[in-house]
Amino acid sequence: MNNCHLLLLLIGALLLPINNVLALPHPMQARQAPATGDVAGGTWQIVGNTGVNAMHIFVSAPNKIILIDKLENNLIKQASGQPAVSTEWNLDTNEIRILDVTSDTFCSAGSWLGNGTMLHTGGDNGNNFLAAGQQTLRFYDPAVGNWVEMVGLMGSKRWYPTMLSLANGKALILGGSIGGTGLNRAEINNPTYTIWPPTDGVTPDPEVQFQFLIDTLPYNLYVMLHLVPNSENKNLIFVLANQQSILYDLDTATIVKNYPTIAVQRTYPQTGTSLILPLYPETNYLTEVMVCGGQKEFEILSVAEASCGRMDLNAAEPVWTMDDFGGLPRVMPDSVILVNGEILFLNGAGTGYAGFRKGKKTNPLWANDNPTFNPVLYNPTTKIYAKMNPSSIARMYHSVATLTPDGSVFVAGSNPQGNVETEVLYPTEYRAEIYSPPYLLTGASRPTIVTIDGYIVNQGRIPITYGNTASIVVQLPKTEVISFTAAIIHHGFVTHSTHMGQRYVGLVVKEAYSDATTADQYILTIELPPNPTIIAPGPSYIYVLNNNFPCVKGVEVLLN
Ligand SMILES: *[C@@H]1O[C@H](CO)[C@@H](O)[C@H](O)[C@H]1NC(C)=O
Ligand SMILES: [Cu+2]
């Protein structure tokens, strides 16, 4: 007997008393999606009426989505008697609750603060009833359940700004113009950014000049922003507007890197979408950005862009690798990262650009037309797109989509005109839909998360911390073949094809064993993300998958 055999015997002896330990699969292999794309294209279900047009949305609780419209004549009224601007959608009952907003939200941005409150800022001029919104800060704390506004507090006016949750738990508020416009221009451009909460917690910090927003005129509204992982806890961001992009260090206010230009304009009104592809510990958080769709000409009849660029942000010589976006031209797409790490691109138009209908409603000229009813499902590993079943509803300018904690996709909105219109080809769209991706339709058993660190799930946010492990109890019939993986997802804030803060991070399942004292439970030890640059502090959802099929419901946590 050699040493090696001896070692194996010793290990065997150690393992023997706990014979229910599960062999763990190679994580990256376990994370590969089954080839469901061709088998089924998903299903669509119209689930109800949102009361206001869903221009801006965010998941506020495991079964709740907050919707924010612009100022317009919605039929339903808020407590003040004014037309409602914001509602809460209940995913269990498909009913709405009307929220109160006193300032103009056309069009604004949002991001979660590390303490678990949503910060929403910006807007437009207001009217006799609603205050000006360009300098308003709005807070939504799920424990309060309604909006709390600070009108006029922001240091400058912002219409179409972008926000981002930062590694330090604060929110970046960047760019925009000082008033509504089709194309941005120097006189109304706001080439600055600010961070909230400010240094002293109360008085806004001086706004920081940002030359990049001058260099990228006129296609520089709703710029694409992403937090870039690093091991030094820096607030590093990727910024893309028009065709230019940079890596920017917010802590020192300096440009770290200029990336090559991408083919074709990608930001408002030539609106594309962007995301950081799922990050995995097994690849040491290799960070790739993906930018899809857009428009090469500011022309109503121009066919939308059928390309995506993908780039490793840390490559020595970064390059955009281009593809055909699944063969469907699309302006104003939404990008939703699903629980298995695949990307669903949906919504948008085949021609035109982001903006309102021109002309009278009896003789309209649609600035965006030829709605792209079919989503495409993209597998980041194989780089293959699969065309999914179409919706029957046009979702163009002012429409949205988000992942819900049960793994489906909530899709709502579309209103390519300045006020409520119901008797036109592309009306103010109040119908909400749920799209169920193929992974929910195979009949495979889905795990149920029972507790995390002893907390019963979804009875409030479970506190978890960077660099720690968490113990997760999962229910699944013991007859199932076991291959557990896990992920944490920040659903972010969605508006105008911009998924602010959306993030997917794979989690290492360090140990898993079958709990012999129960008929159907397993106990998993998972490793949480190492630092707040991988995924920003604040509310997120933990998902466990088996054989790459998502759990019945993600669990709301507060990561800090
Ligand atoms: C989070 O911080 C912001 C500071 O800007 C504050 O307004 C909000 O009330 C805080 N939320 C909680 C839950 O403490
Ligand atoms: Cu808008």
Side-chain angles (χ1 to χ4, degrees), residues 55-56 70 106-108 159-160 222 268 356 397-398 495-496:
M55 283 175 48
H56 320 76
K70 65 180 187 294
F106 169 60
C107 291
S108 38
W159 181 88
Y160 278 50
Y222 280 134
Y268 179 88
F356 291 150
Y397 191 42
H398 289 161
T495 190
H496 296 78

Side-chain angles (χ1 to χ4, degrees), residues 347-361:
N347 295 348
T351 54
Y353 52 83
F356 291 150
R357 182 196 81 216
K358 317 269 181 249
K360 294 206 169 67
K361 70 175 176 184

Side-chain angles (χ1 to χ4, degrees), residues 256-510:
V256 179
K257 198 184 287 188
N258 285 286
Y259 292 108
T261 57
I262 186 167
V264 174
Q265 300 133 19
R266 306 282 173 172
T267 44
Y268 179 88
Q270 319 290 74
T271 305
T273 190
S274 75
L275 69 152
I276 295 292
L277 290 171
L279 300 169
Y280 295 107
E282 299 86 37
T283 61
N284 198 23
Y285 304 106
L286 170 74
T287 307
E288 288 178 273
V289 71
M290 188 162 174
V291 176
C292 290
Q295 180 54 275
K296 58 192 172 305
E297 287 177 75
F298 185 54
E299 285 292 340
I300 284 175
L301 296 178
S302 179
V303 174
E305 180 61 17
S307 77
C308 298
R310 184 172 160 162
M311 180 168 65
D312 173 358
L313 294 181
N314 297 311
E317 301 279 338
V319 283
W320 290 105
T321 305
M322 307 304 292
D323 69 24
D324 73 351
F325 199 11
L328 294 179
R330 208 185 290 255
V331 60
M332 302 179 294
D334 276 288
S335 47
V336 176
I337 310 179
L338 301 181
V339 182
N340 63 2
E342 292 190 305
I343 320 298
L344 188 77
F345 293 104
L346 71 166
N347 295 348
T351 54
Y353 52 83
F356 291 150
R357 182 196 81 216
K358 317 269 181 249
K360 294 206 169 67
K361 70 175 176 184
T362 48
N363 185 23
L365 190 54
W366 296 98
N368 28 101
D369 206 341
N370 297 297
T372 25
F373 294 111
N374 294 83
V376 288
L377 186 59
Y378 175 75
N379 182 322
T381 311
T382 61
K383 304 184 180 173
I384 290 172
Y385 291 88
K387 191 167 162 181
M388 297 287 110
N389 289 331
S391 164
S392 60
I393 301 177
R395 303 286 186 185
M396 300 194 292
Y397 191 42
H398 289 161
S399 66
V400 290
T402 183
L403 177 70
T404 78
D406 72 7
S408 68
V409 179
F410 176 84
V411 185
S414 193
N415 190 18
Q417 48 240 316
N419 210 333
V420 173
E421 293 285 2
T422 48
E423 305 297 312
V424 288
L425 176 60
Y426 302 123
T428 305
E429 188 53 73
Y430 293 114
R431 290 173 294 173
E433 285 170 292
I434 291 286
Y435 173 73
S436 298
Y439 67 17
L440 298 183
L441 305 174
T442 61
S445 290
R446 299 167 64 190
T448 301
I449 304 180
V450 184
T451 60
I452 294 186
D453 287 343
Y455 292 91
I456 311 264
V457 299
N458 291 338
Q459 302 195 343
R461 294 166 171 165
I462 297 173
I464 56 168
T465 46
Y466 293 101
N468 263 350
T469 57
S471 174
I472 304 189
V473 174
V474 165
Q475 210 165 37
L476 192 70
K478 294 224 169 146
T479 47
E480 293 292 323
V481 174
I482 295 299
S483 174
F484 287 126
T485 51
I488 184 166
I489 304 180
H490 183 77
H491 296 224
F493 179 98
V494 186
T495 190
H496 296 78
S497 304
T498 314
H499 292 244
M500 303 179 193
Q502 176 175 223
R503 192 73 134 199
Y504 182 109
V505 179
L507 302 173
V508 175
V509 179
K510 208 173 140 193

Side-chain angles (χ1 to χ4, degrees), residues 153 195-206:
L153 195 76
I195 289 171
W196 193 269
T199 315
D200 74 0
V202 190
T203 329
D205 288 334

Side-chain angles (χ1 to χ4, degrees), residues 113 115-117 119 139 141 150 196-198 201:
L113 298 171
N115 69 4
T117 294
L119 174 60
F139 297 90
D141 178 352
M150 295 167 85
W196 193 269

